[in-house]
């Protein structure tokens, strides 16, 4: 379980990669080769909020429940014509998974998230380019609150 030292990460992925993660019941997450050093800083108990590209929405929160390991068996499709094996993996468990219709549009959080404030408002989508980043405790609270609210709205 997480403690005060746990971090919250935002992992950006395509709808196809999200579907592949869902097919595995959110029990494993993969990090790209180029993010190996960053992956090494993820710890058991950390939260990963899943941001879905093209849809530009937050869809789920998962928890890291085991140590980093390497596995190059293909799971996630990656970009067409440029597959990436996402070899740096963690065992995870779902914390909060929204129905597709309940995903939280990132645009509704542009004025609230500290992380997004680093970019001009008209270019807020730049905040979620690249696969993986940590967010502040404030942003973590906002994201989880919005995910919970969206889950409650559908219940």
């Amino acid at each position: 379980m997480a403690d005060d030292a746990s971090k919250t990460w935002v992992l950006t992925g395509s709808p196809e990669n999200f579907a592949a993660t869902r097919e595995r019941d959110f029990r494993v997450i993969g990090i790209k080769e180029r993010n190996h050093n960053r992956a090494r800083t993820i710890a058991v108990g950390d939260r990963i909020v899943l941001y879905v590209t093209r849809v530009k929405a937050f869809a789920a929160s998962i928890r890291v429940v085991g140590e980093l390991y390497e596995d190059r068996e293909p799971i996630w499709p990656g970009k067409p014509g440029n597959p990436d094996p996402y070899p740096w993996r963690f065992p995870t468990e779902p914390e909060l998974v929204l129905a597709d219709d309940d995903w939280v549009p990132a645009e509704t959080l542009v004025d609230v998230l500290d992380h997004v404030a680093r970019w001009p408002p008209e270019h807020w989508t730049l905040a979620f380019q690249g696969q993986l980043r940590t967010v502040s405790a404030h942003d973590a609270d906002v994201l989880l609150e919005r995910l919970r609210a969206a889950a409650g709205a559908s219940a």
Side-chain angles (χ1 to χ4, degrees):
M1 193 42 97
D3 59 29
D4 292 337
S6 66
K7 296 178 190 171
T8 296
W9 301 81
V10 172
L11 182 105
T12 296
S14 68
E16 296 80 10
N17 283 1
F18 181 83
T21 301
R22 183 186 350 224
E23 286 170 12
R24 284 152 187 83
D25 297 321
F26 301 94
R27 299 291 177 187
V28 62
I29 200 69
I31 309 299
K32 290 181 178 182
E33 185 76 64
R34 71 173 180 253
N35 289 322
H36 181 225
N37 286 338
R38 193 169 300 150
R40 291 175 46 193
T41 67
I42 297 172
V44 172
D46 283 1
R47 170 182 290 121
I48 300 174
V49 176
L50 303 178
Y51 172 82
V52 183
T53 61
R54 296 196 309 269
V55 182
K56 300 177 186 171
F58 298 98
S61 173
I62 59 178
R63 287 284 191 174
V64 176
V65 296
E67 300 296 328
L68 176 69
Y69 64 96
E70 182 177 359
D71 183 346
R72 294 182 179 273
E73 176 185 339
I75 292 178
W76 300 275
K79 292 183 180 178
N82 188 19
D84 191 322
Y86 302 86
W88 307 110
R89 300 181 184 179
F90 291 92
T92 56
E93 64 183 24
E95 180 179 40
L96 187 57
V97 178
L98 300 178
D100 293 2
D101 291 341
D102 295 329
W103 290 0
V104 177
E107 193 166 17
T108 65
L109 301 173
V110 168
D111 296 329
V112 183
L113 295 175
D114 295 336
H115 176 71
V116 178
R118 296 170 26 196
W119 286 268
E122 65 273 17
H123 298 295
W124 68 266
T125 57
L126 295 175
F128 302 107
Q129 289 192 358
Q131 186 192 25
L132 187 65
R133 82 240 359 110
T134 57
V135 295
S136 68
H138 168 266
D139 286 2
D141 289 344
V142 168
L143 288 167
L144 199 58
E145 176 186 303
R146 295 291 177 96
L147 288 169
R148 285 181 178 145
S154 67

